Amino acid sequence: MQLPAYEGGLSSDSELQRFAPHKAVLCSILGGCLYSAVSFRRAGNRSLAGLGPRALAVGVACGSLSGAWSFWQACQVRRHAAALDRLQRTSEAVRMVPIDNLAPPLPTEEFDAATG
């Protein structure tokens, strides 16, 4: 089963985005650096004890959020592909009625008889 591509760009051998791990690592680094810079600016000349572990924790949290978002997108692509596959398998058994402006109108007598 070939999975459909979407705007994030899927690799041919994986359902995750091609650069999802790289994006998570960059989010970790960027989140930790930004937290460190903002904390340093706020603290001024005061002691910055414990800034390293806090910045590391924020970086891990940012990377985890990025990775979770990529994983959730991959799950949605998998669900979409499974639904399309199921629809293709069952389309022979189910009579599909077009729902658009070109669909023939339902006869009023037949509709009244069917709905009572």
Side-chain angles (χ1 to χ4, degrees), residues 92-103:
E92 297 296 322
V94 177
R95 180 174 172 254
M96 302 298 277
V97 177
I99 304 173
D100 59 2
N101 291 339
L102 301 176

Side-chain angles (χ1 to χ4, degrees), residues 27-42:
C27 283
S28 295
I29 293 170
L30 184 64
C33 288
L34 285 176
Y35 179 80
S36 175
V38 169
S39 294
F40 184 76
R41 294 270 307 187
R42 279 189 186 161

Side-chain angles (χ1 to χ4, degrees), residues 20 23-25 27 61-71:
K23 200 165 50 170
V25 168
C27 283
C62 290
S64 298
L65 285 173
S66 176
W69 178 256
S70 295
F71 180 74

